[in-house]
């Protein structure tokens, strides 16, 4: 479980982006982080992962304070996919192999290679393994970055808009895979996503950010027309289709 206690963050002397946030993100759930542009979603993910160091408060992962957790241990616990990835001139196989870095002591093992091959296959990327990441399309690169995070085999996955560049078919495939991994391996996935329909379809917990704080956190029952109007200032209708909620702007 990730426990956040009294977390505040501001960039330099700007007003606080996150102001005294506390929550418990339970093990084995797929948690959607939702909110307007600029609400602080990416900042929150970075604070959980100590890419950013909060000015106040703490983050505990399975009871351990991330303040004093060695980087390598943190990388075994948490894999993070940032909102924007820059492609270096690396072969796809090697880019995904980088996910194994926290486990590699002297040399890459056969097991590391097997894991990379398995993940590439899961994401339909096997035929790309000798391509260079700098020569991939935006969506292909996004899949490679996700593959690297999966190869890390961490208990927690922090994904910042991981499907924003994917076509509809790939979006659903990717989110289904993430959901399956979360259920089968009891992993906690924290995913920033703007598409509310994808969020309600593939996630089972919802964390709405508003005014530098958590507006609401809970299961699908909190995704209501009122919550959406309060958070996004947008009137919607919520329909039911095959036990799924469908959110339609009015
Ligand atoms: N490096 C930075 N320096 C200064 N201000 C920043 C920096 N990064 C983000 N901000 C500001 O902090 C606020 C929160 O940004 P953040 O990236 O967390 O938003 P977000 O919810 O992820 O938005 P989006 O949905 O557009 O990705 C915004 O007002 C943004 O302009
Ligand atoms: Mg963001």
């Amino acid at each position: 479980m990730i426990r956040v206690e009294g977390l505040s963050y501001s960039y330099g002397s700007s007003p606080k982006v996150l102001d005294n946030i506390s929550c418990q993100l339970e093990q084995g759930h797929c948690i959607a982080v939702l909110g307007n542009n600029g609400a602080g979603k990416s900042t929150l993910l970075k604070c959980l992962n100590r890419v950013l160091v909060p000015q106040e408060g703490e983050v505990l992962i399975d009871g351990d304070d991330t303040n004093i957790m060695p980087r390598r241990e943190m990388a075994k616990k948490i894999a993070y996919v940032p909102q924007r990835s820059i492609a270096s001139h690396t072969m796809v196989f090697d880019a995904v192999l980088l996910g194994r870095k926290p486990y590699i002591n002297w040399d890459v093992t056969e097991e590391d290679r097997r894991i990379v091959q398995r993940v590439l296959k899961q994401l339909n990327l096997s035929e790309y393994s000798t391509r260079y990441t700098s020569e991939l399309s935006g969506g292909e690169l996004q899949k490679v970055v996700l593959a690297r995070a999966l190869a890390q085999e961490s208990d927690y996955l922090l994904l910042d808009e991981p499907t924003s560049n994917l076509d509809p078919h790939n979006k659903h495939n990717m989110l289904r895979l993430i959901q399956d991994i979360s259920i089968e391996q009891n992993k906690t996935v924290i995913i920033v996503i703007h598409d509310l329909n994808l969020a309600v379809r593939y996630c089972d917990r919802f964390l709405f950010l508003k005014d530098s704080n958590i507006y609401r956190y809970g299961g699908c029952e909190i995704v209501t027309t009122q919550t959406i109007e309060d958070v996004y200032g947008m009137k919607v209708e919520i329909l039911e289709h095959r036990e799924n909620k469908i959110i339609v702007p009015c």
Side-chain angles (χ1 to χ4, degrees), residues 7 40 43 48 55 141 148 160 179 205:
L7 185 149
T43 306
L48 296 181
Q55 284 91 7
L141 178 66
R148 177 164 57 209
D160 199 344
Q179 186 188 42
R205 289 284 184 280

Side-chain angles (χ1 to χ4, degrees), residues 193-227:
I193 189 162
H194 277 299
D195 187 323
L196 291 168
N197 285 309
L198 291 177
V200 290
R201 175 121 184 223
Y202 294 104
C203 299
D204 58 356
R205 289 284 184 280
F206 304 86
L207 189 155
F208 287 93
L209 281 180
K210 191 187 176 214
D211 298 335
S212 312
N213 218 307
I214 295 175
Y215 178 71
R216 289 196 84 180
Y217 177 60
C220 203
E221 69 283 354
I222 70 156
V223 184
T224 60
T225 53
Q226 191 61 56
T227 304

Side-chain angles (χ1 to χ4, degrees), residues 41-43 83 160-161 192 194:
K41 304 177 295 298
S42 297
T43 306
Q83 189 168 356
D160 199 344
E161 300 194 39
V192 175
H194 277 299

